[in-house]
Amino acid sequence: MASMKTALFVLLHWVLQCAVCRDVSVPPGTLYRVAGFPLSLPCAVSGFEGPRTQDFEWFLYRDDAGGKQMGVVSTRDKGFPYAPFQPRVKNGEVRVERDSGDKVRLVIQRLRAEDQGKYECYTPSTDSTYQGNYSASVPVKVIPDTLQVSYTRSLTAQPVPEGAELTLTCSGGIQSEQLTHLSITFGKRNNGEGLGAEGGGQVSNIREIISIDKLLGVVPGRMYKKRYDDGEITLEKRNKEGGLGEYVMKMRAVQPDDTGSYFCESMQWIRDPDRSWQKIAQRTLDIGNLTVQQLAESLSITSSPRGEVTLQVGAPLILTCEVLGLPAEVNSGLLVQWMKRGSVSSDGPRSGGVEVEVARMSPDGVASWGDDLSRASGGSMEKVAGGRYTLKLFSGQPLDSGVYRCVVSVYAGRANPDPSTPVTLTQRSEGVTVNLKSKDVLVAAVAQLLRGPLLKRGNTITLICNITVTTTGPAQAQVQWLRWPIPPRVIKREESPASAVTVPDAPVEEGPSLVAALMYDGVAKIYVNTSDVSIDRLSAGSYRLRVHSATMDDQGMYACHAQAWGQDPHGGWYNTGARAESNAVTVYMYSRAEDLLLIPLVVGVSSALFVGILIISTVTCCFMKRLAKQRTPK
């Protein structure tokens, strides 16, 4: 029993000692790396005693030297390297890079075929006792460089117009006995600086556009993801003879930000025994510089006729918009709009006000009218030639006066853009001032209430509007009847011990309501639903409004508004802009006699009912009390 306890104690002591033993680790092997490219071997030590910063020594057992040990580099002894490595260590091609006190990496900048062999990482002891392992080794195989990359056509210094399509082709392949993978990346560098494999340019200037990674997945660059999702950038792989692959990148429509130096980068990858992917070779090939000429530098929009146009009412109005400076090799979609600012007045056209859309033609050639749909039957918008668009109003009216501009939105490189496609550039033409002269027109309107008995509930209200239109040529009046409520008089008494003075409050003004209208073409329109209303024309200048079976809600202040319409030489009618407002007529509804008799009748019936109910309640209450006393036992 004592011997078993002793054995367990010894075993526990050994386990505790091994838990803090020195341990040196390197990646599992065999590792395959490519000649001419860097080798990086990490080495770490743990479970040691002594200072936190440990020293490391690297040895190589060359395959072609029969396993003979050679010193490569040391962190504590500058004379440690053997003769084949001394010049390479001196110029920094072979070195040790320290990640921390207990972690370093052996770096060979350009691997050679004779560097193949077993590499050993050794850590000199700083422990009080010699326990654990003080070195670890990993085999490294050097395979030949078979990574190929080339391009079909380089970029020239000729500027490319904004919106043009860019196609770059790069070929790449690997001829290796080992299972390795290839990735291809197209990228761009700003400022036109070169991108050699050993170039010293700033990484911040490099933008990866799109790649086919080592697992054959297409990966867009961070700044190009939206354009890739929208189908603006694509990358396609095609198989070629000799085991090479052809990679074609297309940019559907280049932008000014695409200016720069383009490159194609091929990388060779291998999966190490620890299942991690390692890049073992890389080549970068400059394709050339691209300069994108901005559309704003060449595009111009002109409209004709220029300056100011004066026409008689009824004359046709023809405006032409011409788009100049579009690159012929770029198939772009155009949205062409005619906009108008201004309105007609007695003093002529005003250039101020809100700008409204008259008509437009979408990139797919569909014409549509803007805010005033009534003009659709009296005009057209057409594309008469490449870049030339006309707006025609067959019969100009005074309301067509204003300042017209042609607004063109360009979708560079996108002939049929989606609704969500952003506009590349929008430009406007100079304004064309259009004056449409009409004949002098004077309009006057007078409203009156027909004389008769006092108006009472249920009577018919009859109002007359007499309109006078003074002009040459045919003219018609368009009449509207409006009603305002009668402002209530609110009496407020000032408190005074001597006298009481009534001071009326200012009436609260309410907006008018439209009752009815008689259009210039004789069409009547009724706008109230609570009353029986009719409107008609009695004579050339006399218009009548009747409110049948009037109620108390129909009383108020009535006025008529007149508007003159003229006839153009083609027989069409137009609004001359001349108008007049009549005086206000007050209509008050009086109560009928039967309405006045109804009040005492209602009061009398209510009083009789109240007295009857009170008597019945009193009698019933007294009878119930007497009955209760009779039933009480004596």
Side-chain angles (χ1 to χ4, degrees), residues 185-230:
T185 299
F186 286 91
K188 178 182 74 73
R189 187 173 186 178
N190 296 331
N191 303 324
E193 299 180 10
L195 277 174
E198 298 180 3
Q202 297 180 1
V203 178
S204 59
N205 290 335
I206 296 177
R207 293 184 182 179
E208 291 187 359
I209 301 173
I210 195 168
S211 306
I212 289 185
D213 64 11
K214 53 187 172 294
L215 299 178
L216 299 180
V218 179
V219 181
R222 181 177 58 87
M223 301 185 67
Y224 295 86
K225 188 177 186 308
K226 186 179 186 306
R227 294 172 68 181
Y228 171 76
D229 293 339
D230 294 341

Side-chain angles (χ1 to χ4, degrees), residues 591-601:
S591 300
R592 298 182 300 180
E594 52 267 31
D595 295 338
L596 299 176
L597 293 175
L598 186 62
I599 296 175
L601 179 62

Side-chain angles (χ1 to χ4, degrees), residues 337-544:
Q337 299 169 282
W338 277 103
M339 310 295 291
K340 180 175 78 74
R341 185 188 298 274
S343 59
V344 72
S345 69
S346 59
D347 301 328
R350 295 194 294 265
S351 59
V354 179
E355 189 173 54
V356 297
E357 183 183 50
V358 180
R360 67 163 57 193
M361 181 169 285
S362 61
D364 55 2
V366 177
S368 59
W369 291 86
D371 300 306
D372 188 4
L373 296 179
S374 63
R375 300 298 292 156
S377 60
S380 67
M381 184 171 180
E382 302 173 356
K383 180 179 180 181
V384 296
R388 288 177 62 88
Y389 300 82
T390 60
L391 172 68
K392 296 181 180 179
L393 299 180
F394 304 142
S395 179
Q397 302 177 6
L399 289 177
D400 295 325
S401 297
V403 180
Y404 288 76
R405 282 184 174 85
C406 178
V407 180
V408 178
S409 300
V410 183
Y411 298 85
R414 303 168 182 88
N416 297 301
D418 297 328
S420 60
T421 303
V423 174
T424 304
L425 179 66
T426 298
Q427 280 197 5
R428 302 162 62 90
S429 70
E430 294 292 331
V432 178
T433 302
V434 176
N435 297 316
L436 282 153
K437 285 191 173 181
S438 61
K439 301 173 183 178
D440 293 335
V441 181
L442 296 177
V443 184
V446 177
Q448 62 181 14
L449 176 66
L450 287 184
R451 293 176 175 264
L454 295 177
L455 292 173
K456 300 176 182 178
R457 185 170 60 87
N459 293 158
T460 298
I461 302 173
T462 303
L463 296 163
I464 302 297
C465 182
N466 294 316
I467 299 173
T468 303
V469 179
T470 305
T471 184
T472 57
Q476 291 286 355
Q478 183 168 291
V479 183
Q480 290 181 332
W481 281 99
L482 296 91
R483 182 181 67 225
W484 289 263
I486 299 175
R489 291 178 58 86
V490 181
I491 306 300
K492 181 173 66 176
R493 295 184 176 272
E494 295 183 356
E495 297 182 359
S496 174
S499 63
V501 181
T502 61
V503 179
D505 283 348
V508 179
E509 296 185 1
E510 297 184 20
S513 59
L514 189 59
V515 178
L518 187 63
M519 313 305 287
Y520 70 93
D521 54 1
V523 177
K525 293 185 178 181
I526 307 300
Y527 297 97
V528 292
N529 299 322
T530 57
S531 303
D532 184 8
V533 177
S534 65
I535 184 172
D536 55 1
R537 179 179 176 182
L538 298 177
S539 61
S542 182
Y543 298 83
R544 179 175 61 182

